[in-house]
Amino acid sequence: MAQPVSTLTLNERSTGNNGASSVMGEKEIFHHHIQRAGLKRTAQRDLILDVFLGTDEHLSSEDLYRLVQEKDPTIGQTTVYRTLKLMTEAGIAREVRFGDGKTRYERNSKLPHHHHMICVECGHTIEFLSSELEAIQNEIAAKYRFEPKQHSLRIFGLCADCRDRAPARHNLETVEPRVRLSLARAHK
Amino acid sequence: MAQPVSTLTLNERSTGNNGASSVMGEKEIFHHHIQRAGLKRTAQRDLILDVFLGTDEHLSSEDLYRLVQEKDPTIGQTTVYRTLKLMTEAGIAREVRFGDGKTRYERNSKLPHHHHMICVECGHTIEFLSSELEAIQNEIAAKYRFEPKQHSLRIFGLCADCRDRAPARHNLETVEPRVRLSLARAHK
DNA sequence: TTATTTGCAAATCGTTTGCACCTTA
DNA sequence: TAAGGTGCAAACGATTTGCAAATAA
């Protein structure tokens, strides 16, 4: 059965029962990854990691850069890009794309295999889980001897708010009311 | 039940039973859209449309541009970009993104709501249908008063060929063998 | 005739890279 | 000290835009 979880609920989960300890776990994973790969721990990486773990949003590199800037204005965009990639390689961040051209990152440790509903009007996202999806994936994959590594379901449409706000939008002059991804506004 | 359909099968469907007539339908839709919007029919648009309808691949703008060039080398990239957008607005093309940075387009008239398995090794894609997915979408959407317009399931992993070709890849030094989307090679 | 389209070159946008200097192990 | 890391500016690749000339309605 599908188990929907709102972004808010996700937040509660992240900082509720095992909040600090899981953040600790992520930091450890990051530092282990750095060591194992023969890389170095730096103040910049620590700061960027901290800021990243302090949110549960879907941050773009630019978003994270802005947040980091507030704490240390000397850190450059490039370092944020590089650290984000590093965190992804370490497995504590995950890339998500909502069709607005920029890559976003979310924490990878919680809510495994969750998916997104993305409002094409306001960019708001809702996260949800579905174990049925795993079943579908495995069924399909088996038929093709395909080895699934990752999957992503995105549902584009109108969130409740935008639905109420723009009820006339549906009967526009378009023959087939297809979603134009290019219409998606800035995220959040 | 999920109904897998390979790219080849998709091809058969497109040109089999109702091949010519459906292409006709798409041309008509395009021209209607052009008229309705007060735009103009041009030789360039007709050519680009023809070439696009003549394939069932997931073409990038560049791919289509190359094909069009073979028939008329005077047509510019920009026109292809603009026509692709126009076809998307008309509802005969659909944007798909496989995580390699470039937007691809596929015909929108057949195989509604199909999804993709994308090989991160060679870029090969397999298309499939799943009515279960519709059920999941509607169930989730209803809980949030979300109005779904479009959804997209992508399964990233290794196709049968690449699986056989690189069996040792799994036990690499990575703790969690996460797929790095950035690794995805050129498509097809 | 007159709004629209075209192709080119230049501009944009997100992201990556080259490089000289700085820092960690 | 040696291997990496940092920030800046320049480079990139996909896509978009300004514009003057060309064309459909």
Side-chain angles (χ1 to χ4, degrees):
Chain A
M1 229 280 280
Q3 325 153 39
V5 180
S6 77
T7 303
L8 264 180
T9 309
L10 173 59
N11 262 313
E12 288 168 357
R13 285 165 123 262
S14 336
T15 52
N17 296 331
N18 57 352
S21 80
S22 91
V23 167
M24 230 37 221
E26 284 164 291
K27 288 190 183 177
E28 272 169 23
I29 291 172
F30 186 64
H31 294 142
H32 269 87
H33 175 79
I34 278 184
Q35 263 201 314
R36 176 162 37 83
L39 307 178
K40 288 167 183 172
R41 184 172 174 178
T42 69
Q44 290 92 327
R45 286 176 176 170
D46 279 355
L47 210 204
I48 294 170
L49 176 63
D50 270 355
V51 173
F52 178 71
L53 294 181
T55 80
D56 274 302
E57 301 291 321
H58 298 108
L59 297 169
S60 66
S61 188
E62 169 102 48
D63 294 337
L64 184 53
Y65 173 60
R66 292 233 176 85
L67 291 177
V68 166
Q69 283 269 303
E70 291 174 14
K71 304 221 175 187
D72 181 349
T74 71
I75 290 184
Q77 284 239 47
T78 313
T79 304
V80 175
Y81 271 109
R82 289 191 274 228
T83 305
L84 235 13
K85 189 187 285 184
L86 201 53
M87 296 192 297
T88 303
E89 284 169 13
I92 64 179
R94 183 199 313 210
E95 297 181 345
V96 288
R97 302 206 175 90
F98 295 149
D100 65 348
K102 48 189 74 169
T103 303
R104 294 171 186 289
Y105 295 83
E106 62 183 12
R107 288 171 67 181
N108 199 14
S109 58
K110 336 266 173 206
L111 218 42
H113 295 114
H114 67 273
H115 302 281
H116 301 101
M117 292 174 77
I118 302 127
C119 178
V120 294
E121 203 41 46
C122 70
H124 178 63
T125 59
I126 298 168
E127 304 186 332
F128 62 90
L129 295 172
S130 171
S131 46
E132 290 168 341
L133 214 46
E134 313 289 323
I136 291 179
Q137 165 184 291
N138 294 333
E139 188 189 327
I140 295 279
K143 292 199 175 134
Y144 286 90
R145 295 196 53 245
F146 192 92
E147 181 178 320
K149 294 278 193 183
Q150 190 179 95
H151 58 182
S152 145
L153 171 62
R154 297 171 303 173
I155 302 178
F156 297 91
L158 294 177
C159 69
D161 285 354
C162 293
R163 214 170 160 177
D164 296 338
R165 208 174 293 136
R169 177 168 298 273
H170 311 294
N171 311 357
L172 275 182
E173 75 285 349
T174 319
V175 175
E176 299 195 356
R178 311 230 170 248
V179 177
R180 288 165 56 189
L181 296 186
S182 50
L183 284 182
R185 305 288 168 69
H187 178 68
K188 176 87 196 218
Chain B
M1 228 279 280
Q3 322 154 37
V5 179
S6 78
T7 303
L8 264 180
T9 308
L10 173 60
N11 261 313
E12 287 169 356
R13 283 166 123 264
S14 336
T15 50
N17 296 329
N18 57 354
S21 81
S22 89
V23 167
M24 232 34 220
E26 286 165 290
K27 288 190 184 178
E28 274 169 20
I29 291 174
F30 186 64
H31 294 142
H32 270 87
H33 175 79
I34 278 184
Q35 263 201 314
R36 176 160 39 83
L39 306 178
K40 287 168 182 170
R41 184 171 174 178
T42 68
Q44 289 91 329
R45 286 176 177 168
D46 279 355
L47 211 204
I48 295 169
L49 175 62
D50 270 355
V51 173
F52 178 71
L53 294 181
T55 79
D56 275 302
E57 300 291 321
H58 298 109
L59 297 170
S60 66
S61 187
E62 170 103 47
D63 294 338
L64 184 53
Y65 173 60
R66 291 233 176 85
L67 291 177
V68 165
Q69 283 269 304
E70 291 173 13
K71 303 221 173 185
D72 180 350
T74 71
I75 290 185
Q77 284 240 45
T78 313
T79 303
V80 175
Y81 271 110
R82 288 191 275 228
T83 305
L84 235 13
K85 190 187 286 184
L86 201 53
M87 296 193 296
T88 303
E89 284 168 13
I92 63 180
R94 185 199 312 211
E95 299 182 344
V96 289
R97 301 208 176 89
F98 295 150
D100 66 347
K102 47 189 75 170
T103 303
R104 294 170 186 289
Y105 295 83
E106 61 183 12
R107 289 171 67 180
N108 199 12
S109 58
K110 336 265 175 209
L111 216 43
H113 295 115
H114 67 272
H115 302 282
H116 301 101
M117 292 173 79
I118 302 126
C119 179
V120 295
E121 203 41 45
C122 69
H124 178 64
T125 60
I126 298 167
E127 304 186 332
F128 62 91
L129 294 172
S130 170
S131 46
E132 290 167 340
L133 214 47
E134 312 288 323
I136 291 179
Q137 165 184 291
N138 294 333
E139 187 189 325
I140 295 278
K143 291 200 174 133
Y144 287 89
R145 298 197 49 247
F146 192 92
E147 182 178 318
K149 294 277 194 183
Q150 189 179 96
H151 58 180
S152 144
L153 171 62
R154 298 171 302 173
I155 302 178
F156 296 92
L158 293 178
C159 70
D161 285 354
C162 292
R163 214 171 160 177
D164 296 338
R165 206 173 294 136
R169 177 170 296 275
H170 311 293
N171 311 357
L172 275 181
E173 75 286 348
T174 317
V175 174
E176 300 193 356
R178 311 224 171 255
V179 176
R180 289 166 56 189
L181 297 185
S182 49
L183 284 182
R185 304 289 168 70
H187 177 68
K188 178 91 194 213

